[in-house]
Amino acid sequence: MVQRWLVEETPQGTIGREVQIIDRPDRIGALSSPLAWKILHELAKAPDYPNALASRLKVHEQKVYYHARRLQAAGLLEVVREEPKRGAAARFLAPTAEAFAIVLKGRGTPMTSPMLPHAGIVTQFLEEFSHDGRFAGSIVVGSPYTHGPFNTTSRDSPYAVELGFFLGRLFGLPKGLVVRLDTEVKAQGAEKEDLILVGGPVANIITMDLNPHLAVNFDWKQVWRMESSRTRKPYSDEQVGLIAKVRSPWNAAKTIVLLSGLHAVGTMAAILGLTRFAEDVLDGYTPGEDFYRVVAGQDRDGDGRLDAVSILE
């Protein structure tokens, strides 16, 4: 069964309800009786068993049993628990979703989600990572074990949790795991799928392999810095982060999104820019073209944590 979310604006605030799509006409038939309709609404208030529900509705229990069986067969009601009642097991019923809907064929109307104001912008930016509404690709983080030419462990990886919370509001989960270690991707080949890389070239060896192909890249030969071949500007502040989207140099049919920084705090700035300030950060993005945005993290409320970004390039 296909499930979606219904978002309602109420005087008390925004309310979300899980919606189950009714995809067969026989399921609608189970709701054709006014009593069946009333049963569904009553059980949405609180689960109950048919005998007790019949008393609440002041109707014969056989009528309640009849419609309850039809609603169960249609997938609109389910047994949520059993309790002993008068020597028998009473089956408590409840709706299988908080709302039901029929979706007609058509393109629908593009809109911005009230739950995530810039969802449309980010969804377009990450369009290659969506397949039938589910996330398609891998989030690659640096290994927590000592690895790579710098013989280091990743301090950027925990920030992928922030990214994961955000992406979970845009995409459904695929069957397999989404997060992979850089060492794993290195061993199996980075050309096989679309990748979101978290962390700079010291923490993430896939970022290191990608670095020579970037128009804004990391340079550690003289001093640890980021340099743009487009503007010739160098960046050396530890809070500087890079948001980039490029075609994979190993497979032109695949896409790589890079969220990285000169240091771990710079990676956090890049993730913050994408997840909280996408309208500004992604302004000017053109599908099909390489994209680079250099940001600097800011702590405006002085609590020691980044809460804003400024755009440097």
Side-chain angles (χ1 to χ4, degrees):
M1 298 178 185
V2 180
Q3 292 183 314
R4 297 290 187 268
W5 283 91
L6 171 67
V7 179
E8 299 177 88
E9 294 289 349
T10 72
Q12 291 74 37
T14 303
I15 296 175
R17 300 177 189 270
E18 188 179 33
V19 178
Q20 189 180 113
I21 305 302
I22 297 179
D23 51 3
R24 304 192 315 269
D26 59 294
R27 299 183 69 198
I28 302 174
L31 282 170
S32 60
S33 163
L35 180 56
W37 189 266
K38 187 178 293 186
I39 288 171
L40 193 66
H41 276 277
E42 283 296 315
L43 292 176
K45 297 175 184 177
D48 213 339
Y49 59 101
N51 276 359
L53 185 59
S55 298
R56 281 165 53 186
L57 297 177
K58 295 181 172 55
V59 297
H60 196 280
E61 63 186 54
Q62 289 302 322
K63 290 185 177 181
V64 174
Y65 272 110
Y66 170 76
H67 288 293
R69 282 195 294 268
R70 292 194 68 196
L71 291 168
Q72 280 185 271
L76 304 177
L77 285 182
E78 63 182 349
V79 177
V80 292
R81 70 177 187 273
E82 294 186 5
E83 292 182 8
K85 297 286 183 181
R86 298 178 182 178
R91 296 184 173 184
F92 283 69
L93 302 171
T96 54
E98 297 175 302
F100 299 91
I102 301 170
V103 178
L104 304 178
K105 289 185 177 180
R107 297 181 60 185
T109 303
M111 63 178 295
T112 299
S113 168
M115 297 178 69
L116 197 59
H118 48 265
I121 300 171
V122 181
T123 301
Q124 183 186 44
F125 184 68
L126 299 176
E127 60 182 338
E128 293 87 352
F129 294 86
S130 177
H131 180 70
D132 293 334
R134 297 181 181 275
F135 185 82
S138 287
I139 300 173
V140 183
V141 300
S143 173
Y145 303 103
T146 302
H147 71 297
F150 291 97
N151 198 33
T152 188
T153 59
S154 174
R155 295 176 55 204
D156 305 70
S157 299
Y159 298 133
V161 177
E162 182 82 16
L163 177 65
F165 268 109
F166 176 78
L167 295 180
R169 299 170 68 185
L170 296 179
F171 306 104
L173 281 173
K175 291 182 179 180
L177 295 176
V178 170
V179 178
R180 300 172 64 193
L181 297 180
D182 57 345
T183 49
E184 177 187 357
V185 174
K186 179 77 171 180
Q188 296 180 359
E191 76 282 354
K192 297 180 180 179
E193 57 186 333
D194 298 306
L195 304 174
I196 297 179
L197 305 181
V198 176
V202 172
N204 191 319
I205 57 176
I206 305 302
T207 302
M208 173 171 285
D209 291 344
L210 179 66
N211 190 56
H213 304 279
L214 298 174
V216 179
N217 58 28
F218 297 86
D219 178 18
W220 54 87
K221 294 176 182 177
Q222 298 179 8
V223 62
W224 185 239
R225 66 179 185 177
M226 189 187 300
E227 187 173 28
S228 172
S229 63
R230 305 186 309 167
T231 62
R232 300 300 177 186
K233 290 183 179 179
Y235 303 98
S236 57
D237 190 278
E238 66 176 17
Q239 293 183 326
V240 170
L242 172 65
I243 301 168
K245 180 180 180 181
V246 298
R247 283 294 168 191
S248 169
W250 310 294
N251 183 345
K254 299 299 180 181
T255 297
I256 295 179
V257 168
L258 176 62
L259 303 170
S260 64
L262 289 173
H263 298 273
V265 67
T267 297
M268 184 64 246
I271 292 175
L272 189 68
L274 180 66
T275 59
R276 306 286 179 87
F277 303 98
E279 290 187 359
D280 295 326
V281 168
L282 298 183
D283 184 38
Y285 166 71
T286 302
E289 296 183 5
D290 287 355
F291 175 85
Y292 294 89
R293 185 71 78 230
V294 181
V295 299
Q298 298 178 343
D299 174 20
R300 292 183 178 174
D301 60 11
D303 65 353
R305 303 180 65 185
L306 299 186
D307 51 38
V309 298
S310 60
I311 297 174
L312 304 180
E313 177 181 333

